[in-house]
Amino acid sequence: MRSLSLKLTLAFLFVSIIGVVLTAVVVRQRTQREFDQFVLDRYQLDLIDDLSRYYLQAGSWDSINAIVIRNPYRRGGRGPGTFPAPVTLVNEQGVVVYGGLHHDAGQQLSEDDLKDGVPIEVEGESVGWLLFSEFIDQGFPPPESPEFRFLESLNQAVIFGALGAISIALVIGFLLARTISRPVREVTAATQIVAGGDLGYQVPVRTKDELGELAKSFNLMSTDLAEANELRQQMTADIAHDLRTPLSVIVGYMEALSSGKLEATPETFNIMYGKARHLQHLIDDLRTLALADSGELSLTRRPVEPALLLEHTALDHSVQAQERGVTILVEAEQDLPRIEVDPERMAQVLGNLVSNALRYTPEGGEILLSAAKSRGTILLRVQDNGAGIAPEDLPHIFDRFYRSDKSRQQNGESGLGLAIARSIVEAHGGSLSAESIQDKGSIFIITFPEG
Ligand code: ADP
């Protein structure tokens, strides 16, 4: 199975192998180079020593031979030593005595050639020079020489070290991979649980990193889903209840009428008609909400002056306001730009806000409709100095079927008005919010982006 832990483990292993191989190669090369240099330095010192002693005994270079001038790897080992030593021996007149790799015996060298040479001194007198040529890689040290064995054991140490490091990397990688992939596995299992219907299921948040964030977001989503589901159930119950009440009144009246228990007077029909109208409104409201939810609310937009919208609303409610002894005022800033809205839908929104304001404002109160411009937005406000909204109700007034006073539902208040108003404003690209102080009044603010 190509699980996340397997991939992570392999990634750790891969990285560690690269690291180990690189280290091994660098260590090996460096050691070899240093080692070669060490061998060469030793060789040079020993050779000069040997040659001084030879001269002291022989008194000249005449019978010098390759046995005295051995090559670096011949010493002490059983190595071949068949190649010429990388040195040139020159006598005190500058004539080559032993040519080595680069010169022929008998060749006369200039002073310039000799300037890198090491003088050979016997009893304080210079008897010649030794020139060392570049140390040439002469292949591997011969097998079984101490040098060879040293490099061999170094290689082995590097290989063992590398194997050890890779095994540790494998174990740590495996453990780490398991730790990292655990929350992912938990969230995956949790999505299946939620998909199975256990909405609201939570996973433990173990870390503060991205995986912790993932767990947190999942929990939030799960909670939201559970709430949405509960809301849906509540709404279905509310709809059923709200449809049932007027319908049972109509049915009751009809039964009484058909059994002759009730006389068919115009009042009776008026009551029945009122209930039917109420049902019709409720169904219209639900349909508007459903359309807004699915983004299919059709808007016939045209440029409208904000002041005109407010004035029409005020006029529509003037009779009702007069009956209740409430004053409606309109205040609009000069030269406000027009807004692109559906005038009928906006009249519905403003009408709803003003109806609410009228309902909750006592006699002698005042409702102010105002329009203003503020930081690239157009604000339409409906303000009253009525009952206000309790702080515990304020966050819910835009919820569907929310009524702060549950007993009012009989008066034709469905608790859908503000939900619809907000949906319509949002369908226009605007927003609707409310502020309120209990017993002082409320203000509803519609905000549209300018232009
Ligand atoms: P309803 O159809 O019951 O009026 P709304 O959605 O229009 O439903 O309003 C929801 C609740 O918000 C109302 O029940 C009321 O408690 C509160 N509310 C709305 N407007 C005002 C206001 N102007 N003053 C005080 N309370 C208000």
Side-chain angles (χ1 to χ4, degrees), residues 271-421:
I271 292 173
M272 286 168 69
Y273 177 69
K275 294 295 168 191
R277 287 278 300 168
H278 176 63
L279 275 179
Q280 204 173 25
H281 269 138
L282 191 65
I283 291 164
D284 283 348
D285 282 355
L286 286 171
R287 199 177 128 70
T288 310
L289 270 178
L291 286 176
D293 280 349
S294 60
E296 286 168 23
L297 195 69
S298 64
L299 299 174
T300 320
R301 291 177 185 242
R302 58 185 175 80
V304 186
E305 278 178 33
L308 261 166
L309 272 179
L310 300 184
E311 274 157 20
H312 278 157
T313 312
L315 204 65
D316 285 348
H317 292 82
S318 56
V319 178
Q320 219 183 331
Q322 231 166 17
E323 281 172 4
R324 296 192 59 107
V326 172
T327 324
I328 301 186
L329 297 171
V330 176
E331 253 177 32
E333 273 180 17
Q334 292 287 311
D335 304 322
L336 279 180
R338 293 174 171 203
I339 45 176
E340 282 272 344
V341 292
D342 181 330
E344 273 179 39
R345 293 285 188 198
M346 281 315 295
Q348 187 183 349
V349 171
L350 288 165
N352 193 290
L353 296 180
V354 173
S355 294
N356 279 346
L358 278 170
R359 195 175 297 148
Y360 298 105
T361 306
E363 204 174 331
E366 200 177 86
I367 297 171
L368 174 66
L369 308 183
S370 61
K373 211 168 107 165
S374 166
R375 282 189 243 127
T377 56
I378 304 287
L379 305 178
L380 303 181
R381 285 178 291 228
V382 178
Q383 186 171 6
D384 66 62
N385 56 2
I389 304 164
E392 64 269 22
D393 290 328
L394 197 56
H396 301 291
I397 54 168
F398 294 101
D399 293 350
R400 289 161 196 201
F401 291 104
Y402 190 85
R403 315 160 177 106
S404 48
D405 182 353
K406 305 281 183 240
S407 64
R408 285 193 196 229
Q409 66 196 66
Q410 304 298 347
N411 308 343
E413 297 164 28
S414 62
L416 286 177
L418 287 179
I420 290 177

Side-chain angles (χ1 to χ4, degrees), residues 128-199:
W129 284 274
L130 201 53
L131 299 182
F132 295 99
S133 27
E134 280 279 298
F135 185 68
I136 304 157
D137 186 2
Q138 317 213 337
F140 291 106
E144 289 175 49
S145 65
E147 296 88 344
F148 184 83
R149 281 203 299 278
F150 171 74
L151 286 177
E152 271 294 272
S153 76
L154 181 82
N155 277 352
Q156 272 176 9
V158 167
I159 289 171
F160 282 135
L163 286 179
I166 289 172
S167 319
I168 293 171
L170 195 64
V171 173
I172 292 179
F174 178 72
L175 292 178
L176 264 175
R178 276 194 70 83
T179 321
I180 291 173
S181 61
R182 184 176 173 191
V184 177
R185 271 179 283 131
E186 282 175 345
V187 172
T188 312
T191 44
Q192 282 156 3
I193 292 173
V194 170
D198 186 359
L199 302 180

